[in-house]
Amino acid sequence: MELIPAIDIIGGKCVRLTKGDYTQMTVYNEDPVVQAKEFEQLGFKRLHVVDLDGAKSKHIVNDDVLRKITRHTHLTVDFGGGIKTEEDIEKAFDAGAAMVTVGSVAVTNPELFMGWMDKYGADRLILGADVRNSKISINGWKDDSEEELLPFLRKYIDHGVKNVLCTEISKDGTLSGPAVNLYKTIMSAYPTIHLIASGGVSKTEDIFELDEAGIPAVVFGKAYYEGRIDLKDLKDLKDSKSK
């Protein structure tokens, strides 16, 4: 299982929200670059960076922070939040992102998203599927669409999407445990995708449960920042999987 720590950025700081609510914000590190270096020193290879200012503003805001992270670490960074135009994608790649996560555009402008897939390739784009009440949410989770999750995924998997980041919004930042059954349902329907589970991880055992369920990757943030994840146990998991 791929273990991906997360850094969410507001005002240049490393923060976490609860259920995407900008009024429920906790600052965990004043300097995201310092936090990214810490993850690298702990042995992680990949980092999930979310520009929450960008998601709210509908365009990239914190590309300067992304650039500092990629310049000062060797982490493979996937970046999301506010990617609405090709200019935003180019800005993210120019700042060092290896991949970008696109969600809202895939809902509001399918032709544009498919054009990006054709231009940049499936290895550089992650389809963001943020779910609330079985429907896809957009624009920093402020708006709900009429798109049902599984048909939404099918449309793009048929077009070549390989990477899907699925966040159960009601779980995100709550430390209430991940939506394991939701991820099992997705993997049962589409077993070939690289599914990244996001939202609700509260302890090391949650990650083990996702791994046992056959989920390829997991993003975690708050559980780490709150000291609820045992890094030795995670290292043992990574080591056992590499043998």
Side-chain angles (χ1 to χ4, degrees):
M1 168 175 258
E2 189 173 25
L3 306 173
I4 311 171
I7 289 178
D8 294 355
I9 303 168
I10 290 180
K13 299 176 182 179
C14 176
V15 308
R16 292 296 289 176
L17 306 181
T18 300
K19 298 183 183 180
D21 186 347
Y22 284 74
T23 68
Q24 298 186 59
M25 181 182 79
T26 303
V27 177
Y28 285 104
N29 198 316
E30 296 283 336
D31 189 342
V33 178
V34 171
Q35 186 61 63
K37 287 181 177 179
E38 179 179 310
F39 286 133
E40 184 175 41
Q41 289 164 2
L42 290 169
F44 294 104
K45 304 298 184 185
R46 182 167 167 182
L47 180 66
H48 177 63
V49 175
V50 182
D51 182 355
L52 289 175
D53 291 315
K56 196 172 184 179
S57 303
K58 300 184 182 181
H59 62 83
I60 288 181
V61 174
N62 287 293
D63 52 303
D64 57 329
V65 179
L66 170 64
R67 181 173 283 103
K68 290 175 184 176
I69 289 173
T70 58
R71 281 182 176 174
H72 291 93
T73 74
H74 294 93
L75 294 165
T76 298
V77 178
D78 68 77
F79 181 85
I83 300 206
K84 298 290 191 290
T85 65
E86 192 163 318
E87 181 183 0
D88 290 320
I89 291 183
E90 294 288 350
K91 190 177 288 188
F93 286 150
D94 182 64
M99 294 165 278
V100 295
T101 300
V102 180
S104 299
V105 168
V107 174
T108 60
N109 195 335
E111 293 78 13
L112 181 60
F113 179 76
M114 288 181 181
W116 291 347
M117 280 285 300
D118 295 338
K119 180 171 182 176
Y120 297 104
D123 292 333
R124 301 200 77 188
L125 288 184
I126 301 169
L127 176 62
D130 301 327
V131 184
R132 180 164 46 211
N133 299 322
S134 301
K135 301 285 183 70
I136 302 294
S137 291
I138 60 175
N139 297 328
W141 303 350
K142 296 194 299 294
D143 305 312
D144 293 330
S145 76
E146 293 303 314
E147 293 271 8
E148 295 280 351
L149 174 62
L150 291 183
F152 173 76
L153 295 180
R154 165 58 67 191
K155 176 168 54 180
Y156 292 115
I157 290 169
D158 286 347
H159 195 77
V161 161
K162 299 177 182 177
N163 303 293
V164 174
L165 172 70
C166 183
T167 302
E168 169 51 76
I169 295 170
S170 69
K171 295 281 190 178
D172 193 69
T174 65
L175 300 174
S176 60
V180 179
N181 289 334
L182 172 67
Y183 304 128
K184 282 182 177 179
T185 298
I186 295 171
M187 289 305 300
S188 177
Y190 311 121
T192 62
I193 65 170
H194 187 73
L195 177 63
I196 307 165
S198 172
V201 170
S202 65
K203 55 186 182 296
T204 314
E205 288 76 13
D206 289 338
I207 295 175
F208 292 160
E209 184 179 4
L210 288 166
D211 182 55
E212 290 168 4
I215 311 306
V218 60
V219 166
F220 55 89
K222 193 170 186 176
Y224 169 81
Y225 297 122
E226 296 282 347
R228 290 167 169 255
I229 288 179
D230 187 315
L231 293 175
K232 181 182 182 302
D233 286 348
L234 280 187
K235 185 177 185 302
D236 290 343
L237 173 65
K238 286 196 293 184
D239 291 346
S240 68
K241 292 298 178 181
S242 64
K243 292 178 182 178

